[in-house]
Amino acid sequence: MPVDDRERAQARLILEGHPTAATHPPAGQWDDDDVGNIGYFYRQNSILVREPDAARVTGALGVIFAEVGYGSVPAGAAREIQRESVTSGLVRLTVPSVPTLVPDLIGRLDGAVGPGVARPEHKVYVCPHTCPATEPAEVPGTADPVPPLGLDAGGRRAVPWTGNDGEGVSVVIVDTGLIPQVAADHPWLAGVEGAEENPYGADGTIVPYGGHGTFVTGVLRCVAPKATVFVERAFDIAGADYETRLASSLADALRHDPDIMVFTFTSATHRDSSLHTFDDFYERRLSRRKGLVVLAPAGNDNWSRRMWPAAHHGVIGVGALAANWRDRAHFTNYGRWVDVYAPGENLVNAYPEGTYVCTEPPDAGERRLLRGMAMWSGTSFSTPVVAGLIAARMSRTGQNAQQAWDSLQRFACSQSIPGVGPVLYPGQADC
């Protein structure tokens, strides 16, 4: 079936905010009955390669350009390729406009230099695939958070959980940043620091994806109220950016010496390959941090297709449970590559005050008045539940993050739900 109206609206937000972006299949084919979903987003005319492969990929491109034709001087096309170092191990090749698209060039390069050597520069999203499972919904400003607080503001146990509070554990969340005023208005966010986010547009309304980082942080703090949290800002426009732009944000995040890193971004990719930028960062930086764990959302597309970095072998991929905490949420991605499921539907937490205008059918144009709290759904929100449980277990047992996750993973498998998979719930840090 062709791209549906909701997916079209989500894609337009990204394409309008990032003029150099494109989709595969291209926008002109979205109405083709044989197309189906949008496969992935990428930067036009950009190809990523590992540094040792750059020369032979450039040479192969020269041959390809000669085959497909390039203006009146095919042989000169290779001289117009621009080479730029993204990191010490990763290179961007910017190719001239040729009568073929980057996915087609990558397909040709797979045959010339080997599958996966050259990959598109994918666009990743702070909200899995192109959006959360829902847009933020109205709740009373006095609404209690869901999941509920493990401890109240005075440090007293507010619900009968046996988990601890995450004290002494450092967590970095890579997201849209933190809204200081919202954090100040909610006691469970006391002490959280981060790069400041302005969630309001020029017309004063809350922008799409605005407040995402603050909401995610609130969920984690409800599970681990005393964890030390810093929120890194990696996304400014439409909740999305190119994977290479994340390199500096990820490096900045590591400077806080975290025990746990929470990534709320993900991407579908060309031929379901991993992200070149994340692979490079993992090999050079993350894999060398003993005891560190990294979590990422599985995505909200209701498919089994691998999403990245959640499917990476060094990342804990988190899916979402439905509001009844027993079934798989209707929107969550799934498959053996998803490590664990946690509550992710109809969660309630801190959100900026103001008017939010819906962008997705059937609610497009609806104006919602938010009063400091919101209800939201998505695997972005089940991910901090699991991160909070790891932090809570660490503070109780003295384990490092990897050891705490190993224990929790065994317990999650022991209570697997048929048709869903391993599951964890708030309060199970003592498993």
Side-chain angles (χ1 to χ4, degrees):
M1 60 180 294
V3 175
D4 65 28
D5 289 342
R6 185 168 182 265
E7 187 177 10
R8 186 190 306 270
Q10 297 157 3
R12 288 297 182 197
L13 277 176
I14 293 175
L15 294 178
E16 290 169 4
H18 301 265
T20 60
T23 63
H24 178 70
Q29 297 179 16
W30 289 356
D31 292 323
D32 188 332
D33 287 342
D34 295 326
V35 165
N37 298 91
I38 295 171
Y40 56 88
F41 290 71
Y42 65 95
R43 190 196 291 267
Q44 299 174 34
N45 302 339
S46 179
I47 294 173
L48 296 182
V49 298
R50 296 296 184 100
E51 199 281 333
D53 299 318
R56 66 190 182 105
V57 172
T58 301
L61 282 170
V63 175
I64 292 169
F65 290 160
E67 291 175 351
V68 301
Y70 176 72
S72 59
V73 191
R79 291 196 296 270
E80 298 186 31
I81 297 172
Q82 299 177 15
R83 171 175 169 157
E84 177 186 0
S85 293
V86 176
T87 68
S88 60
L90 194 64
V91 173
R92 176 195 293 118
L93 300 177
T94 302
V95 300
S97 296
V98 295
T100 186
L101 298 173
V102 163
D104 299 323
L105 286 177
I106 298 293
R108 291 170 178 264
L109 286 169
D110 283 346
V113 298
V117 173
R119 303 176 197 176
E121 184 177 354
H122 296 97
K123 183 168 284 296
V124 297
Y125 325 97
V126 72
C127 309
H129 197 38
T130 54
C131 70
T134 62
E135 295 188 84
E138 296 173 341
V139 295
T142 56
D144 291 328
V146 177
L149 282 164
L151 301 172
D152 66 17
R156 296 175 294 273
R157 191 169 304 285
V159 294
W161 292 356
T162 57
N164 213 318
D165 54 17
E167 186 170 11
V169 178
S170 174
V171 182
V172 172
I173 297 171
V174 180
D175 205 303
T176 59
L178 180 72
I179 306 170
Q181 184 56 52
V182 176
D185 290 341
H186 297 82
W188 59 91
L189 286 168
V192 172
E193 298 181 348
E196 185 170 347
E197 175 198 359
N198 175 13
Y200 301 104
D203 62 357
T205 63
I206 301 169
V207 299
Y209 317 108
H212 191 273
T214 301
F215 191 99
V216 166
T217 305
V219 172
L220 186 144
R221 266 301 193 85
C222 284
V223 181
K226 292 188 178 180
T228 299
V229 182
F230 186 90
V231 190
E232 188 69 43
R233 187 179 68 235
F235 302 90
D236 294 316
I237 301 174
D241 213 335
Y242 295 109
E243 58 175 285
T244 54
R245 294 283 299 275
L246 288 173
S248 60
S249 295
L250 297 179
D252 289 344
L254 276 183
R255 294 192 181 102
H256 296 277
D257 195 25
D259 300 296
I260 301 168
M261 294 183 75
V262 179
F263 301 155
T264 58
F265 58 85
T266 194
S267 180
T269 60
H270 176 79
R271 295 188 177 176
D272 296 340
S273 61
S274 57
L275 295 166
H276 248 341
T277 303
F278 186 83
D279 288 348
D280 174 72
F281 186 76
Y282 182 85
E283 292 167 12
R284 291 188 305 105
R285 306 290 299 276
L286 294 180
S287 64
R288 301 179 184 182
R289 295 287 185 118
K290 184 178 180 180
L292 172 72
V293 296
V294 178
L295 301 92
N300 303 326
D301 312 282
N302 187 28
W303 63 26
S304 60
R305 180 181 179 186
R306 290 176 181 267
M307 300 289 281
W308 303 91
H312 193 280
H313 66 87
V315 175
I316 302 166
V318 184
L321 292 173
N324 64 9
W325 290 20
R326 293 295 302 168
D327 299 315
R328 194 172 67 201
H330 67 90
F331 53 81
T332 187
N333 292 339
Y334 55 91
R336 296 186 66 179
W337 58 275
V338 180
D339 295 294
V340 67
Y341 295 81
E345 184 175 31
N346 295 347
L347 301 194
V348 176
N349 220 286
Y351 190 80
E353 294 187 8
T355 298
Y356 177 86
V357 182
C358 295
T359 62
E360 301 166 15
D363 302 317
E366 178 183 316
R367 301 175 70 87
R368 296 177 177 176
L369 181 61
L370 284 304
R371 300 174 174 83
M373 295 286 284
M375 178 183 292
W376 222 346
S377 299
T379 55
S380 284
F381 312 132
S382 54
T383 301
V385 172
V386 177
L389 285 169
I390 295 171
R393 183 171 180 83
M394 289 174 65
S395 63
R396 174 169 289 277
T397 65
Q399 294 174 316
N400 66 29
Q402 185 60 58
Q403 292 166 338
W405 164 241
D406 290 343
S407 298
L408 287 166
Q409 185 180 36
R410 286 192 294 271
F411 183 73
C413 290
S414 75
Q415 59 179 13
S416 291
I417 298 175
V420 179
V423 297
L424 287 172
Y425 302 106
Q428 292 190 327
D430 273 350
C431 61

